Every structure is written in C-alpha cells, then in structure tokens.
Amino acid sequence: MIVRSFHDLDDTEFDIQTPNWRSKRIILARDKVGFSVHETTLYAGTENEFWYANHIEAVMIVEGEGTITDLGTGETHELRPGSMYLLNEHDKHVVRPRTEIRTICVFNPPVTGREVHDENGVYPLITEN
C-alpha cells in the first residue's frame, strides 16, 4: 500500500512550477503501477497548449472554471468542478482557465517526473528501468 499527501510534495523535486501552471507528481513510473497521478493547478488568465503524443491523459476538474478547445476539431467545452476530459486520441488542446483550475490528472504510460514539455507541448516518452 502507498499512502502519500500532495501537501508533502510542496517545494520538492516532485513539485514542478511554471508561470502558467504547477504540477505535483504523487505517483510516478517508479511506483510500477502502470499509471501516474498528478495534482495540477492552471493559473487564471493563462493559455495552455498541450499535446500528449506519447501518453493518454484523463483530467478531473476539482476546482475552478474555464474552457478546453480540441485543436483538431475546433470544438470548445466548458470546464467546472466535476468535469472530466480524456485525451484518448492524443488530442492537441488548449486549456484557458477563467479562474484558477485545480485538477487531478492520470497518465498512461506513467511519467517519470523528469519530462519537460517540448516546443509542441509534448512530453517525451521516458521509461524507468
């Protein structure tokens, strides 16, 4: 059994902070459970373009409001607490928070925690030995 708290990750190597968002990585590839779990906060008024070409991501909105736009179709959806989106086709997308949005994200395959978004918003596929 693994028991951890997101609060214990504050200001550690597992607490990734950028001008647009903050991501606390609580379950990673090294835990060998087949997925990773993150608490990600997107800051109000930012525009966040992502494309997880190597991962499937499920995102549950816990707090806040905004929109997500599928860049392949142009379709925009409202986000609010209780909303979920699944990037099951490696969808390129933009999230625009009107207020600060707090999410819980699950990635498959799991991330290692060493990934950095490239110029296209993509995480490289890094595996654990």
Side-chain angles (χ1 to χ4, degrees):
M1 178 183 296
I2 297 172
V3 178
R4 297 181 179 140
S5 169
F6 284 116
H7 300 292
D8 293 339
L9 303 177
D10 290 347
D11 301 316
T12 70
E13 65 182 304
F14 305 108
D15 183 6
I16 310 304
Q17 299 181 49
T18 77
N20 285 15
W21 51 266
R22 178 182 193 177
S23 182
K24 298 179 187 180
R25 284 88 187 265
I26 197 161
I27 302 293
L28 292 168
R30 68 185 183 161
D31 294 308
K32 300 188 184 315
V33 294
F35 59 89
S36 58
V37 178
H38 312 191
E39 176 191 60
T40 300
T41 301
L42 299 120
Y43 302 129
T46 61
E47 185 167 299
N48 304 276
E49 185 172 331
F50 300 112
W51 175 33
Y52 296 112
N54 300 307
H55 300 83
I56 300 296
E57 182 189 27
V59 178
M60 174 65 72
I61 310 303
V62 178
E63 295 175 358
E65 296 183 351
T67 62
I68 183 170
T69 301
D70 181 328
L71 294 177
T73 66
E75 190 173 6
T76 297
H77 302 274
E78 286 293 317
L79 300 174
R80 61 182 174 273
S83 299
M84 189 280 302
Y85 60 88
L86 177 65
L87 304 168
N88 59 314
E89 295 185 11
H90 307 283
D91 312 275
K92 289 183 182 180
H93 61 289
V94 175
V95 179
R96 296 179 180 94
R98 285 190 296 275
T99 65
E100 186 172 277
I101 294 178
R102 189 169 64 90
T103 67
I104 302 298
C105 309
V106 177
F107 282 86
N108 185 5
V111 300
T112 65
R114 298 186 309 273
E115 293 81 0
V116 176
H117 289 101
D118 70 12
E119 66 278 0
N120 297 308
V122 175
Y123 275 159
L125 185 58
I126 302 174
T127 58
E128 289 287 319
N129 293 331

